[in-house]
Amino acid sequence: MMNIYTNLPVFKLKDSSVRRRYSDFEWLRNELERDSKIVVPPLPGKAWKRQLPLRGDDGIFDEEFIEDRRKGLESFINKTGVLYPRWSICERNRLT
């Protein structure tokens, strides 16, 4: 879940939330890379091995993995916001 805050007057709502999948972040990264001449920050790695059956853990549902992934995606968004200043980066813009 992405919680986003903006102070841009074109938006009626200043706070909003939206659910995003890893593939949405991949799409965003690809679009930024395609349309810019600067280095776009990396995404956290994919979870191929965690999706294999007969694992001894919870795979992609493991709480530690989910938290690590969340932190990596939040870092990506924050670094991207620094590179693209039109995005307002503040403590209120978080992944939960």
Side-chain angles (χ1 to χ4, degrees):
M1 177 78 70
M2 290 182 65
N3 299 313
I4 301 167
Y5 171 78
T6 183
N7 58 2
L8 295 175
V10 297
F11 296 103
K12 289 182 182 179
L13 296 175
K14 299 302 177 195
D15 290 298
S16 61
S17 298
V18 63
R19 289 190 184 275
R20 292 291 179 227
R21 298 180 55 88
Y22 186 84
S23 58
D24 296 321
F25 289 92
E26 288 180 311
W27 174 85
L28 174 61
R29 186 176 192 286
N30 290 336
E31 289 297 305
L32 292 173
E33 249 182 357
R34 184 173 59 92
D35 291 338
S36 68
K37 293 184 174 31
I38 61 174
V39 176
V40 179
L43 287 169
K46 287 208 142 278
W48 296 114
K49 292 180 182 177
R50 288 194 167 273
Q51 296 178 28
L52 297 174
L54 305 174
R55 289 181 51 96
D57 61 12
D58 292 329
I60 61 172
F61 301 107
D62 180 69
E63 288 184 29
E64 185 177 337
F65 168 74
I66 292 171
E67 181 61 14
D68 289 345
R69 169 67 64 87
R70 184 198 65 77
K71 286 179 182 177
L73 293 173
E74 186 171 4
S75 174
F76 168 77
I77 288 294
N78 287 337
K79 288 177 182 176
T80 303
V82 170
L83 295 175
Y84 301 92
R86 291 187 302 175
W87 291 17
S88 171
I89 300 300
C90 69
E91 182 61 28
R92 294 173 64 182
N93 292 342
R94 300 206 63 215
L95 298 179
T96 56

